[in-house]
Amino acid sequence: MTSNQKLFSEKHTTSSSEKVIKHNIPNERGFYGNFGGAYIPEMLYPNVDELRSNYRQILESDTFRQDFGLLLRDYVGRPTPLFYARNLSKKAGAKIYLKREDLCHTGAHKLNNVVGQALMAQHLGKRRIIAETGAGQHGVATATVCALLRIPCTVFMGSKDMARQKPNVMRMQMLGAKVIAVESGSQSLKDATNEAIRHWINHPADTYYLIGSTIGPHPYPDLVARLQSVISKEIKVQLLREEGTENPTHVIACAGGGSNAAGAFFHFIGNGKTRLIGTEAAGEGVDTKLTAATINSGKAGIIHGCKTLLMQTADGQVVEAHSVSAGLDYPGIGPLHAHLHQTGLAEFIPVTDTEALEAAMMLSREEGIIPALETAHALAALEKMAFKPTDVIVISLSGRGDKDLQTYQQYFTKP
Ligand SMILES: *Cc1c(COP(=O)(O)O)cnc(C)c1O
C-alpha cells in the first residue's frame, strides 16, 4: 500500500479507529450528530445528488489518487514542513511546531482542496468551474488550478470586496478567470455565494461549483475535510520522526468556514490523546455586535445548504459577521466543527482583532515568519492557554501574510 492509498481510508492506523470513524465522517445523509445535511432548493438536487453519489468512489479510484498525489507533491509543494519553532517554544514553555501551509503554492492551504475538487469536476465530466470568493484567496486558488487544467473559470465576488482586495482580483484576471462583480445585498461573500448558486441552478449540466471551505450542503463539508486531511496525515508522519509519537498533545487552528482546522484535526479527532483547539474571530469582542465568533455567539440554523451554528437575530435573520480578517468573517461554521463543539471533542476560543494583530507581529519577530491575519488568530491562542514543558503543540500555519501587509502597517503605525 502506498502512502497515497491511505489518504482517504476511514480505517486509519490509530488504535481507537472506532471513535475516529464516528466523529470525523458524517452519516449517509451528511449529518455529524445534529449538524450538516443538505437543505437545498429542488432545482439544485440533481447537481448535488450527482456529486453525492459519486464522490467517494472517485476519491478512492486509482486515477484520482495518482493525479491528486502528484499535483500535491509537484504543484502545491507537499509535504509542507513541520517546523520546530525554537524561540516560540521557549516563550510558551512547551514544544511548538508550525505546520507550514503558508508554503503551499498561492500561499495558503486552500490549494489542497481546489486541486482535489477540480480533478473531481473532470471525473464528473464538467466543463466549467464556478466559485465564490470573499477576500479572494479561494478565488485565486481556483483560478490557478483552472489555468493549469485548462478549465474555464468564473468567480463571483462582491463589488465591495473587489474594491477592497484589488491585488487578488488582478491575480484572478491574469490567470484567465472571469471575475463577476456582485452588486446585490451587502456586496460581499454572502451575496457572492447566493449569486454563484443562482448561476449554478441555471447551468446545471456542464458546471461544477467549487466550494472553498467545509461548508455548504452534503457532501461538500465531507469532501473538503477529506481533501484537507492530508495536513494531519503529514503531521503524524513528521511528528513521529521528530518526537517518537504520532499524536501531539494539542493541535491549534483558526476557523473561518473550518477547512484548515478540519484538515489539521482530521486524523486526531476522538483519539483521546490530542486536545483540538479552534480559534474563531471575535472581532471587537464576543459581546459586541462586531464579531464573527459563530460558535461562541451563534445558534442552530440553516445557512448555504446545511444545518449548523450561525449568527442570527432572535427571529432568525442572518447577522453580518465582522473581523479584521476578511478570511474569517463568515456568519456560519462548518457542521463538523459545530458537532465537535457540541460533543466537547474540540474547544473553540474567541480571539479579538487586536489579539490577532499582536500575534502576527509576535511571530514575525520571534520566528521570521509573517503570517496571514487569519492564521494569527491561531497563534493568539498561545497567550490564552497554560502549557506543561512536556506538551507538544502543533499550530496550523494556514497562510502567509503578504496580502495583509497594509492592515498590519495601518495598525502598527497608528499614533
Ligand atoms: C481562507 C483562509 C482561512 C479560513 O478558511 P478555513 O476554511 O476556516 O480554513 C484561514 N487561513 C487562511 C490563510 C485563509 O486563506
Side-chain angles (χ1 to χ4, degrees):
M1 202 189 222
T2 69
S3 59
N4 245 351
Q5 281 176 295
K6 277 201 302 203
L7 186 52
F8 304 109
S9 162
E10 284 161 40
K11 290 209 170 49
H12 198 73
T13 48
T14 76
S15 51
S16 52
S17 59
E18 275 305 307
K19 272 191 203 157
V20 174
I21 289 169
K22 259 211 307 250
H23 290 291
N24 61 359
I25 305 282
N27 70 14
E28 271 300 299
R29 291 179 307 122
F31 278 89
Y32 301 90
N34 297 319
F35 301 106
Y39 298 84
I40 47 171
E42 210 173 310
M43 295 287 287
L44 277 185
Y45 185 80
N47 269 333
V48 175
D49 196 55
E50 181 186 24
L51 180 62
R52 186 195 58 76
S53 48
N54 288 295
Y55 81 109
R56 292 286 302 277
Q57 214 176 337
I58 294 171
L59 286 177
E60 310 278 346
S61 72
D62 286 344
T63 43
F64 181 92
R65 277 200 305 241
Q66 236 160 41
D67 294 347
F68 186 50
L70 230 92
L71 283 175
L72 285 186
R73 192 187 73 188
D74 299 338
Y75 192 68
V76 180
R78 304 206 71 91
T80 58
L82 185 70
F83 173 66
Y84 177 61
R86 206 170 295 273
N87 301 329
L88 207 54
S89 297
K90 200 181 264 175
K91 196 169 138 71
K95 284 187 168 170
I96 298 186
Y97 287 88
L98 304 175
K99 182 58 174 161
R100 298 290 309 274
E101 295 302 298
D102 61 318
L103 296 178
C104 291
H105 180 38
T106 71
H109 67 290
K110 292 223 162 64
L111 211 61
N112 304 326
N113 167 49
V114 172
V115 165
Q117 284 200 61
L119 291 174
M120 180 68 60
Q122 286 188 324
H123 275 262
L124 291 171
K126 303 291 178 182
R127 290 183 300 108
R128 292 162 12 90
I129 282 179
I130 59 169
E132 83 295 336
T133 198
Q137 292 299 105
H138 175 58
V140 168
T142 305
T144 297
V145 178
C146 284
L148 177 75
L149 300 180
R150 307 184 153 279
I151 306 172
C153 172
T154 305
V155 179
F156 295 87
M157 188 170 189
S159 55
K160 201 195 280 173
D161 286 340
M162 283 179 76
R164 284 193 292 204
Q165 310 285 339
K166 262 221 177 85
N168 276 344
V169 175
M170 291 191 286
R171 279 184 196 108
M172 288 185 270
Q173 286 166 342
M174 182 149 180
L175 291 159
K178 194 162 145 194
V179 183
I180 297 194
V182 177
E183 308 283 355
S184 59
S186 57
Q187 301 165 341
S188 60
L189 179 60
K190 175 169 60 68
D191 314 286
T193 308
N194 291 340
E195 203 55 39
I197 290 174
R198 201 166 300 144
H199 181 92
W200 198 26
I201 290 175
N202 290 320
H203 304 79
D206 65 342
T207 302
Y208 182 89
Y209 182 19
L210 206 160
I211 292 184
S213 190
T214 42
I215 52 171
H218 177 63
Y220 280 103
D222 185 39
L223 172 58
V224 177
R226 285 172 194 254
L227 294 171
Q228 291 288 5
S229 72
V230 65
I231 299 173
S232 50
K233 180 180 171 255
E234 288 175 7
I235 292 172
K236 275 177 168 276
V237 174
Q238 293 166 322
L239 203 65
L240 183 63
R241 208 158 50 210
E242 297 297 318
E243 294 289 334
T245 172
E246 289 188 336
N247 300 306
T249 56
H250 303 69
V251 176
I252 306 176
C254 67
S259 69
N260 90 90
F265 292 173
F266 197 86
H267 291 297
F268 304 114
I269 291 170
N271 73 359
K273 294 171 187 152
T274 305
R275 264 178 78 184
L276 304 175
I277 295 133
T279 60
E280 43 176 18
E284 305 268 300
V286 249
D287 302 326
T288 71
K289 278 193 159 62
L290 295 173
T291 186
T294 310
I295 285 190
N296 285 282
S297 67
K299 288 196 296 286
I302 289 164
I303 183 168
H304 295 141
C306 77
K307 187 174 172 200
T308 189
L309 293 172
L310 78 131
M311 294 172 17
Q312 52 190 306
T313 60
D315 47 351
Q317 285 293 106
V318 177
V319 174
E320 291 278 326
H322 166 83
S323 165
V324 65
S325 143
L328 299 180
D329 59 359
Y330 185 66
I333 179 79
L336 167 63
H337 303 73
H339 172 65
L340 295 179
H341 165 68
Q342 195 167 65
T343 52
L345 285 166
E347 309 150 57
F348 290 85
I349 56 181
V351 168
T352 65
D353 289 351
T354 309
E355 290 165 341
L357 287 158
E358 296 292 339
M361 181 60 92
M362 183 277 296
L363 188 74
S364 306
R365 297 292 165 89
E366 293 288 342
E367 301 289 348
I369 300 169
I370 301 175
L373 204 31
E374 292 86 359
T375 312
H377 286 74
L379 295 157
L382 292 176
E383 299 285 333
K384 300 176 163 263
M385 300 176 62
F387 300 107
K388 297 198 296 280
T390 49
D391 285 342
V392 175
I393 299 142
V394 175
I395 302 176
S396 170
L397 210 76
S398 58
R400 66 177 184 228
D402 310 39
K403 68 183 176 59
D404 300 309
L405 282 182
Q406 204 179 335
T407 310
Y408 291 149
Q409 175 142 36
Q410 274 166 7
Y411 177 77
F412 290 107
T413 57
K414 205 166 51 182

